[in-house]
Amino acid sequence: MTTPDDATHQAPETGLSRRALLGLGGGIAAVAAAAGFGAARGTAAAAAPSAAPQPGTFAFTGAHQAGVVTPAQDRLYLAAFDVTTDSREELVALLRRWTTIAARLTQGLPAGPLGPASGPYDAPPDDTGEAADLPPAGLTLTFGFGRSLFVGTPGPDGTPGTDRFGLADRLPGGLVVLPHFSADDLDPARSDGDLVVQACADDPQVAVHAIRNLSRAAFGAATIRWTQLGYGRTSSTTTAQRTPRNLFGFKDGTANVKAEEEDALAAHVWVPADAADADAADGVDSAWLTGGTYLVARRIRMTIETWDRTSLREQETLVGRTKGEGAPLSGGTEHSEPDFTATGRGGAPLIAANSHVRLAHPDQNDGVRMLRRGYNFTDGNDALGRLDAGLFFLAFVRDPRTHFIPMQSRLSAQDGLMEYLEHTGSGLFAVPRGVPDGALVLGADGTPATTDDSPFVGQDLFA
Amino acid sequence: MTTPDDATHQAPETGLSRRALLGLGGGIAAVAAAAGFGAARGTAAAAAPSAAPQPGTFAFTGAHQAGVVTPAQDRLYLAAFDVTTDSREELVALLRRWTTIAARLTQGLPAGPLGPASGPYDAPPDDTGEAADLPPAGLTLTFGFGRSLFVGTPGPDGTPGTDRFGLADRLPGGLVVLPHFSADDLDPARSDGDLVVQACADDPQVAVHAIRNLSRAAFGAATIRWTQLGYGRTSSTTTAQRTPRNLFGFKDGTANVKAEEEDALAAHVWVPADAADADAADGVDSAWLTGGTYLVARRIRMTIETWDRTSLREQETLVGRTKGEGAPLSGGTEHSEPDFTATGRGGAPLIAANSHVRLAHPDQNDGVRMLRRGYNFTDGNDALGRLDAGLFFLAFVRDPRTHFIPMQSRLSAQDGLMEYLEHTGSGLFAVPRGVPDGALVLGADGTPATTDDSPFVGQDLFA
């Protein structure tokens, strides 16, 4: 039996575990400081010269939330929540708790003490424990708000929803009701939600653990509406990442907006200040979302078995790229620019008019680009034995009215791939900017703690 | 932003990918040879001195199937199939195709050629492609046969099933109908099946890709009945592996049978020759299973939310171990032997009478041990927002009549943990011995190929 390569196999067991962190005593504060909690990073480094940055962590605080331009982790667990309280105070208290727990979990700390050495023995542990020996695995937690949080859910007869939290005049213009697209067969039980949390990590157990502990902290204030596990990333968000493949077997996201493209991020991903100016003309104060973004989530089931019986020629024609290299059918290599004018025998375009690469290209979409961050999913099978599998599409955009709806309208009507696709779930969320560096409240042990004054994600929405 | 640790984050991108392998030309044969295909390993190494063992692979051939004592990989995808043909020849042809494809996939090769450089352009590619750039990730594929393959499925009125393939007199004694256990609420759509394939790998996309391609090769002969994705291993199968945690947050499988314990494997896991002798007395020829094993699969849903509200004291009392270290409540460390006679204040046993560790201990079960290989799962949520999550229990045993049914009867009746458990799916499968080293037929390019004479997993059942 060949011994597996250590670097490949042992990865989840390398790195500093949560347990090791706890055992370090003073190390907790040092790590927290090095990660940017409560102090400017340079100062912290000077104060704790022996503290190495915690491997496998991304800072929770910053101008933007982590989990957008962060190098796309391998695994996803995403949960949408319904808020069950009508109390604005309880909603704010939930967001405070979530912020503290997220700041802890993303730095490799447990949600709270695990046991009797540090907590009461006759109470439940503050952390559920199943990630206690695992490294941080690059966990990011990204929070967003659904339209129903602002204006409630309309009744089936069209009666308006209820503004439970006094937020109706804060509803940003982009948080619209998405129109019906041709390939939609949406399941309400897999769609919408008042709140969303995207957990990304390189270990799925770390992502699921995070959602479980946040869900637990929501007891009495919010319950899970739907969740989605994604096991393979289908996008790269940095130029250093290899382009991954979707379940059609094709490379996906070659033309994605990348973290290094600051101008493109400003133009296509982050909500600009002038969006609030436009909303102000409609009597809405959406300045709280400046510097944030919108998350479009679409559960796209693929008819895998049908696709697998089509010829390679048909597959490549529909995508507009080669399957192996991912090169445009007009020639070159993966990152060559497609030449939509190139023709072959009989004058037919080498890249077909109904190919995905043509219809989704910025040249065909008023120059619009997205930052995609989707994942492959497989949720068992249907009664006919067909895999319930596909792409859980996630995209971050500055405004879905310009950056999602037009393109999706075109694709759903014209893209030849749509024959193999069915949209079965949908969500749109406003993703507020990040909690500023240095804003978190630290407890006696130097780790993030929740108080009545703790900052929280989305705080400016409630100001 | 802290840069994540490369060893942790880049693991899925390290190692030799399938695409790189294909590009190596002669490297394919060298790798195949080094992995034990078609030649004794020593000879192959001598013949191809430049061939390094393919990192991250386990040999497919051998006395036993891989995926039992193989160091437990991090992720699982398991599929049970219904055979849809009544033809014994078509069933055998399926097993031949599966054997060849499994031999290829486990060595990091695609199921077959991907595209026009090596295959027809107007036919579907032989491999679906989504793992083309991924390393082998330690993939193992383990095949088993359900009782219904031998004797069909009884009707609801108790009428006997049909022996479609002339296998009724080969039904091994251990392949029984499991009795109803107290905590059972079994869903037929998550239970049983004629065939099972367990795919384990360190990358879930590699495991799902394998099942998808095997399912595709089954077209017209078998369809998927149910599948289960497992994202975190809950057992160690070698002494070098860290003990993982289940979703109760406790270490699991501390007392598991390990690959290094050859005597224990012979006593508890591999089917001995005298099992066939006993079956022969009943007029059954089960010698084909000697050296194989039985796989017990149980989908155990945990009432996570209720568990999370119990005190640490209650949790530890029910398990009989500490949550942090995993030490028996009688003292010591994780691997200390529990002292069931130790008493505390008032003479009460330190390890409670209804604790899991006591009821499952070999001393309480006629010395019986299992090789467990389970995984944590999370399959969305129910209508109340509760996670549909738990433990997908997998155990390999020499005879379920002695090594599973008695213990599960005791646990389901007495174990205090059962209050938090519900068995929602169940399967029992006979796992034949391995395809012998050197038996595979190699094609012109030196990789495994299917012919009318190809050996196949379970071949002796049909001899």
Side-chain angles (χ1 to χ4, degrees):
Chain A
M1 186 175 291
T2 308
T3 304
D5 171 56
D6 278 351
T8 302
H9 272 65
Q10 302 304 322
E13 310 200 6
T14 59
L16 207 55
S17 74
R18 287 165 174 76
R19 181 151 299 277
L21 262 177
L22 286 172
L24 284 179
I28 299 175
V31 166
F37 289 139
R41 213 169 303 179
T43 317
S50 66
Q54 166 74 334
T57 63
F58 297 103
F60 177 70
T61 57
H64 307 294
Q65 288 193 63
V68 181
V69 300
T70 307
Q73 300 94 328
D74 290 324
R75 323 291 168 214
L76 165 86
Y77 195 51
L78 181 141
F81 290 81
D82 286 330
V83 177
T84 52
T85 178
D86 286 343
S87 156
R88 180 175 166 123
E89 289 65 37
E90 289 179 13
L91 172 60
V92 165
L94 169 63
L95 294 172
R96 285 195 206 281
R97 290 196 299 277
W98 274 7
T99 299
T100 304
I101 292 172
R104 295 179 59 91
L105 293 175
T106 54
Q107 302 312 307
L109 296 165
L114 278 172
S118 49
Y121 196 63
D122 285 311
D126 284 338
D127 185 282
T128 56
E130 74 272 21
D133 309 313
L134 301 176
L139 175 70
T140 55
L141 292 163
T142 313
F143 298 86
F145 302 137
R147 180 179 171 92
S148 54
L149 191 76
F150 299 81
V151 294
T153 304
D157 56 353
T159 51
T162 307
D163 174 15
R164 294 167 288 171
F165 309 108
L167 297 174
D169 62 357
R170 298 295 188 94
L171 178 72
L175 203 53
V176 296
V177 178
L178 291 178
H180 175 83
F181 301 107
S182 300
D184 282 4
D185 184 16
L186 302 181
D187 178 356
R190 295 189 191 273
S191 300
D192 305 326
D194 294 328
L195 304 169
V196 73
V197 187
Q198 171 196 273
C200 296
D202 289 316
D203 183 330
Q205 183 141 329
V206 169
V208 174
H209 170 261
I211 294 292
R212 175 183 178 183
N213 281 269
L214 292 170
S215 172
R216 192 170 171 236
F219 185 70
T223 60
I224 287 181
R225 179 179 173 87
W226 54 273
T227 63
Q228 184 65 54
L229 197 64
Y231 61 78
R233 69 178 174 89
T234 61
S235 299
S236 300
T237 56
T238 76
T239 54
Q241 290 187 300
R242 184 201 63 221
T243 307
R245 289 177 186 270
N246 60 31
L247 293 189
F248 285 147
F250 279 76
K251 292 183 183 175
D252 205 339
T254 296
N256 211 25
V257 175
K258 303 290 202 307
E260 293 85 351
E261 301 178 81
E262 292 197 9
D263 290 350
L265 290 171
H268 299 291
V269 176
W270 306 125
V271 175
D274 60 13
D277 296 342
D279 285 343
D282 295 328
V284 168
D285 175 6
S286 70
W288 63 271
L289 189 57
T290 302
T293 181
Y294 290 91
L295 170 60
V296 183
R298 305 281 293 183
R299 185 179 186 276
I300 306 176
R301 182 173 175 186
M302 294 174 165
T303 54
I304 298 275
E305 291 78 9
T306 314
W307 177 260
D308 285 348
R309 290 197 283 273
T310 62
S311 71
L312 179 63
R313 185 188 303 278
E314 170 82 354
Q315 293 183 8
E316 293 190 343
T317 301
L318 289 171
V319 173
R321 292 183 179 273
T322 63
K323 190 161 192 176
E325 161 68 20
L329 293 186
S330 52
T333 59
E334 180 193 339
H335 291 284
S336 300
E337 192 59 26
D339 178 0
F340 296 116
T341 64
T343 53
R345 277 183 296 185
L350 289 174
I351 300 177
N354 69 340
S355 68
H356 183 78
V357 70
R358 182 187 290 263
L359 291 167
H361 193 273
D363 288 356
Q364 313 291 320
N365 291 280
D366 298 326
V368 157
R369 297 174 65 193
M370 306 176 179
L371 189 153
R372 280 182 289 151
R373 226 177 186 284
Y375 286 83
N376 296 321
F377 72 84
T378 300
D379 291 336
N381 54 284
D382 64 20
L384 296 177
R386 298 176 303 204
L387 292 175
D388 182 4
L391 172 68
F392 190 63
F393 172 96
L394 296 173
F396 291 95
V397 297
R398 65 176 273 176
D399 190 331
R401 292 170 296 183
T402 53
H403 278 65
F404 176 73
I405 295 172
M407 183 187 297
Q408 181 56 24
S409 298
R410 189 172 299 114
L411 287 174
S412 68
Q414 300 176 35
D415 186 346
L417 279 181
M418 286 293 158
E419 186 181 340
Y420 304 94
L421 300 175
E422 185 183 45
H423 287 236
T424 58
S426 177
L428 176 62
F429 304 94
V431 174
R433 53 182 175 258
V435 172
D437 286 333
L440 293 174
V441 175
L442 301 188
D445 64 356
T447 63
T450 303
T451 70
D452 290 344
D453 299 322
S454 301
F456 58 95
V457 67
Q459 181 158 9
D460 297 329
L461 170 59
F462 298 87
Chain B
M1 185 174 292
T2 308
T3 304
D5 170 58
D6 279 351
T8 301
H9 273 62
Q10 301 304 323
E13 311 201 4
T14 60
L16 206 56
S17 73
R18 287 165 173 74
R19 181 151 299 279
L21 261 178
L22 285 174
L24 283 180
I28 299 174
V31 166
F37 289 138
R41 213 169 304 179
T43 316
S50 65
Q54 165 75 333
T57 63
F58 296 105
F60 176 69
T61 57
H64 308 293
Q65 288 193 63
V68 181
V69 300
T70 308
Q73 299 94 328
D74 290 324
R75 323 290 168 214
L76 166 84
Y77 195 50
L78 181 140
F81 289 81
D82 286 330
V83 177
T84 52
T85 178
D86 286 341
S87 157
R88 181 174 165 126
E89 289 65 37
E90 289 180 13
L91 172 60
V92 165
L94 169 63
L95 294 172
R96 285 195 207 280
R97 290 196 298 278
W98 273 8
T99 299
T100 304
I101 293 172
R104 295 178 58 93
L105 293 175
T106 55
Q107 301 313 308
L109 296 165
L114 277 171
S118 49
Y121 195 63
D122 284 313
D126 285 337
D127 185 281
T128 57
E130 73 271 23
D133 308 314
L134 301 176
L139 174 70
T140 55
L141 292 164
T142 313
F143 298 85
F145 302 137
R147 179 179 172 91
S148 54
L149 191 74
F150 298 82
V151 295
T153 305
D157 55 355
T159 50
T162 306
D163 174 15
R164 294 167 287 169
F165 309 109
L167 297 174
D169 61 357
R170 298 296 189 95
L171 178 73
L175 203 53
V176 296
V177 177
L178 291 177
H180 175 84
F181 301 106
S182 299
D184 283 3
D185 185 16
L186 302 181
D187 178 355
R190 294 188 190 276
S191 300
D192 304 324
D194 295 326
L195 303 170
V196 73
V197 187
Q198 171 196 274
C200 296
D202 290 316
D203 183 328
Q205 182 142 330
V206 169
V208 174
H209 169 263
I211 295 292
R212 174 183 179 184
N213 280 271
L214 292 171
S215 171
R216 193 173 169 231
F219 184 70
T223 61
I224 287 180
R225 179 179 173 89
W226 55 272
T227 63
Q228 184 64 54
L229 198 64
Y231 60 79
R233 70 177 174 90
T234 61
S235 300
S236 299
T237 55
T238 74
T239 53
Q241 290 187 301
R242 185 200 65 221
T243 307
R245 289 176 186 270
N246 60 31
L247 293 188
F248 284 148
F250 279 77
K251 291 183 183 176
D252 205 338
T254 295
N256 210 25
V257 176
K258 304 289 202 308
E260 295 84 353
E261 302 179 81
E262 292 197 10
D263 290 348
L265 290 172
H268 299 293
V269 177
W270 306 126
V271 176
D274 60 13
D277 296 342
D279 284 344
D282 294 328
V284 168
D285 175 7
S286 71
W288 64 272
L289 189 57
T290 303
T293 180
Y294 290 90
L295 169 60
V296 184
R298 305 281 293 182
R299 186 178 185 276
I300 307 176
R301 184 174 173 184
M302 295 174 165
T303 55
I304 298 276
E305 292 77 8
T306 314
W307 176 261
D308 284 350
R309 289 196 285 273
T310 62
S311 72
L312 179 62
R313 185 188 303 278
E314 171 82 354
Q315 292 183 9
E316 293 190 343
T317 301
L318 290 171
V319 173
R321 293 182 178 273
T322 63
K323 190 161 192 175
E325 162 68 20
L329 294 185
S330 52
T333 58
E334 181 194 340
H335 291 285
S336 299
E337 193 58 27
D339 177 359
F340 297 116
T341 65
T343 53
R345 276 183 297 186
L350 289 174
I351 300 177
N354 70 341
S355 67
H356 183 76
V357 71
R358 182 188 289 264
L359 292 167
H361 194 272
D363 288 356
Q364 313 291 319
N365 291 280
D366 298 325
V368 158
R369 297 173 66 193
M370 305 176 180
L371 188 154
R372 280 182 289 152
R373 226 175 186 286
Y375 287 83
N376 296 320
F377 72 84
T378 300
D379 292 335
N381 54 284
D382 64 21
L384 296 176
R386 298 177 303 204
L387 291 176
D388 182 4
L391 173 67
F392 189 63
F393 173 96
L394 295 173
F396 290 95
V397 296
R398 64 176 272 176
D399 190 331
R401 292 171 296 183
T402 53
H403 279 64
F404 176 72
I405 295 172
M407 183 187 296
Q408 181 56 23
S409 298
R410 190 173 299 114
L411 288 173
S412 68
Q414 300 175 35
D415 186 348
L417 278 181
M418 287 292 159
E419 186 180 341
Y420 304 93
L421 300 176
E422 185 182 46
H423 288 235
T424 58
S426 178
L428 175 62
F429 304 95
V431 175
R433 54 180 174 260
V435 172
D437 286 332
L440 293 174
V441 175
L442 301 188
D445 64 356
T447 62
T450 303
T451 69
D452 290 345
D453 298 321
S454 301
F456 58 95
V457 66
Q459 180 158 7
D460 297 329
L461 170 59
F462 297 87

